[in-house]
Amino acid sequence: DIQMTQSPSSLSASVGDRVTITCRASQGIYMFLNWYQKKPGRAPKLLMYGASILQSGVPSRFSGSGSGTDFTLTITNLQPEDFATYYCQENYDLRFTFGPGTKVDIK
Amino acid sequence: EVQLVESGGGLVQPGGSLRLSCAASGFTFNNYEMNWVRQAPGKGLEWISYITTSGKTTYYADSVEGRFTLSRDNAEKSVFLQMDSLTAEDTAVYFCARGTRIVGQSYYMDLWGQGITVTVS
């Protein structure tokens, strides 16, 4: 099975900051990588698929990059509504494994 | 309105069973694969099950294989997660999620229900 890791596990940032989250797959997954945002008590929200394709309606301050085993999610000009936990998810095999999450909180 | 609505959660004793339902509306249900994802208290997201559009093929996470059964009724626009032999480790919020496939490129979960709580105690 593919294992997904994320770093950091948490970070503190201020409104307006640029934030970068890294996701790594235990084997190459081409660009079969999604990113989700999760807030407490809310359903997960798809941000990005195909590693770098922004889901409709998601602000352009979110961007993704990477292929193979290493991926990044970048949030530029962090907004108050962006404080949440972010998960990567591989869709290379039929396990759809999520990473452990990165919590972004307010500094 | 395009939405998924889960039902059937609640409190169950260890070893017991529960059947979750997810009702779809606002989109052509039989065109979409469906999934269940759960989040245990204080933990991350865990994908647990997937079903094809026809319902003929299902996949499960190792953690629920042999205990959970996913099915669908396209006429009712619903999926059903039968959960048997429940343990405390199954306590979680369960989300159903629509899967969208771009052949050869991506598979992603773009529509989620609000979640339903299952407590095994």
Side-chain angles (χ1 to χ4, degrees):
Chain A
D1 291 359
I2 299 171
Q3 308 300 316
M4 306 298 292
T5 58
Q6 289 182 233
S7 61
S9 57
S10 65
L11 65 91
S12 296
S14 301
V15 172
D17 282 355
R18 174 188 173 104
V19 167
T20 298
I21 298 168
T22 298
C23 173
R24 177 165 289 175
S26 60
Q27 65 182 74
I29 58 170
Y30 297 93
M31 297 180 75
F32 293 100
L33 193 283
N34 304 325
W35 288 98
Y36 298 86
Q37 178 191 68
K38 178 70 171 68
K39 296 180 179 179
R42 306 278 295 273
K45 175 184 177 182
L46 175 69
L47 297 176
M48 204 90 55
Y49 60 93
S52 62
I53 302 172
L54 202 63
Q55 169 69 347
S56 176
V58 174
S60 59
R61 62 180 180 272
F62 292 89
S63 63
S65 65
S67 65
T69 59
D70 297 310
F71 302 87
T72 60
L73 173 71
T74 300
I75 313 171
T76 58
N77 188 22
L78 195 70
Q79 295 299 296
E81 60 267 30
D82 301 335
F83 292 98
T85 301
Y86 293 86
Y87 294 89
C88 60
Q89 179 199 38
E90 60 85 13
N91 60 97
Y92 180 74
D93 69 7
L94 287 169
R95 295 293 183 178
F96 305 121
T97 305
F98 287 93
T102 296
K103 184 176 182 180
V104 178
D105 62 19
I106 302 172
K107 182 183 289 182
Chain B
E1 182 182 1
V2 177
Q3 63 178 359
L4 297 169
V5 179
E6 301 99 337
S7 61
L11 175 65
V12 61
Q13 293 183 339
S17 298
L18 212 55
R19 187 188 193 222
L20 303 184
S21 299
C22 172
S25 59
F27 63 96
T28 307
F29 178 73
N30 57 2
N31 285 351
Y32 290 89
E33 299 158 358
M34 296 295 293
N35 300 268
W36 285 88
V37 173
R38 69 183 180 183
Q39 185 174 35
K43 303 296 185 181
L45 299 174
E46 178 189 19
W47 168 84
I48 57 171
S49 189
Y50 154 97
I51 190 166
T52 55
T53 55
S54 66
K56 291 182 180 178
T57 300
T58 53
Y59 293 104
Y60 302 93
D62 290 344
S63 58
V64 306
E65 178 83 55
R67 301 186 300 120
F68 289 14
T69 303
L70 182 56
S71 62
R72 67 188 293 161
D73 185 329
N74 285 340
E76 289 192 14
K77 300 181 182 180
S78 295
V79 291
F80 308 99
L81 186 66
Q82 177 66 40
M83 305 187 296
D84 299 321
S85 304
L86 287 162
T87 73
E89 286 66 46
D90 296 314
T91 294
V93 176
Y94 286 72
F95 298 94
C96 67
R98 183 179 77 177
T100 292
R101 181 179 300 280
I102 302 176
V103 176
Q105 293 188 39
S106 296
Y107 181 86
Y108 49 87
M109 298 169 197
D110 62 348
L111 179 67
W112 295 70
Q114 81 284 358
I116 192 89
T117 299
V118 171
T119 303
V120 185
S121 177

